[in-house]
Amino acid sequence: MKYINEIDIKGKTVLCRFDFNVPLDEDLHITDDRRIKAALPTINYALDEDARVIVIAHLGRPEGKVIDSLSLKPVARRLSRLLGKEVVLAKDCIGDEVKTLIQGMEPHCILLLENLRFHIEEAENSDDFARELAGYADVYVDDAFGNAHRTHASNVGITKFAKKCCAGFLMKRELNYFSTTLKNPLRPFVAIIGGSKVSDKLEALANLIRRVDKMIIGGGMAFTFLKAMGHEVGTSLVEENLVNMARRGIKIAKERGVKLYLPVDCVIAEEADPKAVTKIVPVQEIDPNWMGLDIGPASIALFREALSDAKTIMWNGPMGVFEIDAFSMGTFSMVHTVAQSHALTIVGGGDTDVAVHRAGQSDYITYISTGGGASLELLEGKKLPAVKALNEWEKKMD
Ligand code: AMP
């Protein structure tokens, strides 16, 4: 597939799909605008090429209904402020009014169309909906990495009808950091996988174990592995149906010479509550009615040591229930270790991203993904539907 700078968009009308699914507070103020900022290089490039820029995006999950609180109004305001120019927001993303607005666009104009997901046809990948969107422009540009694992009309269906298709600069960065690094990492290559459940990351674990030199497992999912090793883990999060799978994973790691690091101690409590009494114990001594909610200091030291010679680090998932202060030390220590390392450091989106920002260390990480779900699918070794669609369009043109 081609990127926006590899095709001629001079003076053309471009339709850019971005992921502007930003968090809002109860007063509908944007609390984190990184996804909007990440779109600026593509928009600025198009403006520099004297293009007319139509922007399409979604916000939340309105499931085909018009919900005022999920309007892209706050996005239009923020985008306008970041670009220092007017961004017109259309009342809808399809229909005659939109077409009239587009006809009136001058070069360098930006028109943001209202939330795509106000129409159920978007998530249904409807041909009619995709055809209408594609008809607005000379060139379709997909830069919505955070949505690239979905098969929707605005990112997959649209490539059937668009005159020209390409990807934007954010897509390029994301694919470069995830796909390219996974295929050809500087070694030692260490993966850190955490978060709540093994089941959510089973495919990523299976893919990574074939590629890494070391794997660190923390968070809730570590307890299924510790159980597989014969430890009593009290009431910690365990997926009983995956204990055997975890045992196999440990065996595969051994056979492949991959060093697998699991917590050796943990912070336990009777419940995941800010007021709960906590203890730090070796993993061999978890009380029957207590649960492991963070990695302990010995694990922090062990993981730090495992990371000390890394040249590439990929991290997805917190080491504990970091949302609660008492169980956040493991995750925040890991943030600092990763940030201070001399490796190429790549962090998946979602909770890990939140932890890195909360620790104020985002400037010291090589790359933080804007898409949790999409980056996880890349870790799983899957091809993203939106990227596949762009590649197929390119193949068709050959
Ligand atoms: P994920 O979305 O799979 O990356 O999981 C992130 C969630 O895992 C966070 O909300 C954490 O609170 C949770 N988590 C991390 N460690 C544990 C643990 N030991 N027990 C239960 N939940 C955990």
Side-chain angles (χ1 to χ4, degrees):
M1 74 193 195
K2 289 211 167 72
Y3 290 98
I4 186 168
N5 57 328
E6 297 171 302
I7 63 168
D8 178 22
I9 61 159
K10 192 92 198 154
K12 300 216 160 118
T13 304
V14 296
L15 178 74
C16 300
R17 171 62 158 112
F18 295 112
D19 179 1
F20 287 160
N21 194 20
V22 288
L24 300 172
D25 65 16
E26 57 274 17
D27 297 322
L28 304 182
H29 288 120
I30 296 170
T31 55
D32 179 348
D33 64 0
R34 276 172 285 148
R35 283 183 162 166
I36 304 177
K37 286 185 175 142
L40 299 180
T42 295
I43 298 178
N44 280 323
Y45 179 85
L47 294 174
D48 286 350
E49 290 291 300
D50 306 322
R52 297 165 177 82
V53 183
I54 307 166
V55 174
I56 48 175
H58 75 275
L59 180 62
R61 294 187 173 185
E63 289 171 3
K65 290 189 208 83
V66 176
I67 297 178
D68 286 343
S69 59
L70 294 177
S71 161
L72 288 171
K73 267 184 213 139
V75 172
R77 265 201 305 269
R78 183 63 55 94
L79 184 59
S80 166
R81 183 125 29 86
L82 289 169
L83 287 165
K85 66 188 277 123
E86 190 191 7
V87 173
V88 176
L89 175 67
K91 287 204 188 86
D92 201 344
C93 60
I94 52 168
D96 290 341
E97 218 176 302
V98 172
K99 284 181 199 141
T100 309
L101 280 172
I102 292 171
Q103 274 156 17
M105 280 175 89
E106 297 285 336
H108 309 122
C109 262
I110 303 182
L111 173 66
L112 173 64
L113 307 188
E114 188 52 284
N115 196 340
L116 292 160
R117 291 197 188 165
F118 284 174
H119 294 267
I120 198 70
E121 292 85 348
E122 158 67 351
E124 288 173 347
N125 192 17
S126 138
D127 272 356
D128 289 341
F129 189 73
R131 192 183 295 110
E132 180 148 0
L133 294 174
Y136 296 157
D138 306 307
V139 180
Y140 166 70
V141 185
D142 188 1
D143 211 16
F145 177 77
N147 199 52
H149 58 311
R150 310 264 181 232
T151 301
H152 288 174
S154 68
N155 67 338
V156 173
I158 196 165
T159 60
K160 279 200 268 177
F161 308 104
K163 288 182 215 131
K164 265 198 176 156
C165 294
C166 66
F169 295 123
L170 175 64
M171 200 74 121
K172 188 173 188 173
R173 272 162 70 88
E174 295 271 5
L175 293 176
N176 180 40
Y177 279 115
F178 282 91
S179 300
T180 315
T181 307
L182 270 178
K183 275 187 212 129
N184 201 8
L186 277 178
R187 293 183 182 279
F189 175 20
V190 188
I192 309 166
I193 304 293
S196 52
K197 292 192 200 148
V198 180
S199 51
D200 291 341
K201 307 215 173 136
L202 195 59
E203 288 175 77
L205 288 166
N207 184 41
L208 287 167
I209 204 85
R210 295 188 286 120
R211 300 175 188 274
V212 299
D213 302 293
K214 300 180 190 180
M215 182 175 280
I216 294 172
I217 296 181
M221 67 165 64
F223 295 96
T224 301
F225 283 86
L226 290 170
K227 180 120 200 210
M229 290 167 72
H231 293 299
E232 279 310 321
V233 295
T235 54
S236 306
L237 197 62
V238 167
E239 288 169 283
E240 293 293 346
N241 57 330
L242 292 177
V243 171
N244 270 336
M245 192 73 97
R247 207 169 283 131
R248 257 184 50 209
I250 295 169
K251 192 164 159 259
I252 292 170
K254 206 178 261 172
E255 284 163 6
R256 292 187 152 266
V258 172
K259 291 184 185 147
L260 188 62
Y261 295 84
L262 287 162
V264 288
D265 62 347
C266 54
V267 181
I268 59 170
E270 282 178 300
E271 52 187 333
D273 187 287
K275 294 200 189 84
V277 176
T278 62
K279 285 197 275 190
I280 297 169
V281 294
V283 290
Q284 294 85 347
E285 293 173 23
I286 300 174
D287 299 17
N289 294 321
W290 292 53
M291 58 178 82
L293 294 162
D294 194 11
I295 57 171
S299 310
I300 292 173
L302 173 71
F303 293 174
R304 187 178 297 140
E305 176 61 28
L307 289 165
S308 62
D309 65 346
K311 292 272 191 304
T312 306
I313 300 172
M314 271 201 187
W315 181 13
N316 185 305
M319 296 291 100
V321 182
F322 75 103
E323 298 91 338
I324 299 176
D325 285 346
F327 314 114
S328 66
M329 186 61 117
T331 302
F332 289 129
S333 297
M334 197 60 112
V335 171
H336 287 281
T337 302
V338 172
Q340 283 161 18
S341 86
H342 290 266
L344 177 85
T345 51
I346 301 170
V347 166
D351 283 314
T352 326
D353 170 6
V354 172
V356 169
H357 280 90
R358 219 173 273 170
Q361 296 297 302
S362 48
D363 286 348
Y364 306 102
I365 302 289
T366 313
Y367 192 70
I368 303 174
S369 177
T370 58
S375 66
L376 185 61
E377 291 207 3
L378 292 177
L379 291 186
E380 291 168 354
K382 289 189 186 144
K383 293 213 160 49
L384 300 173
V387 175
K388 220 162 118 188
L390 291 173
N391 279 319
E392 274 162 18
W393 184 87
E394 199 62 44
K395 237 188 266 164
K396 216 169 57 188
M397 291 298 125
D398 270 351

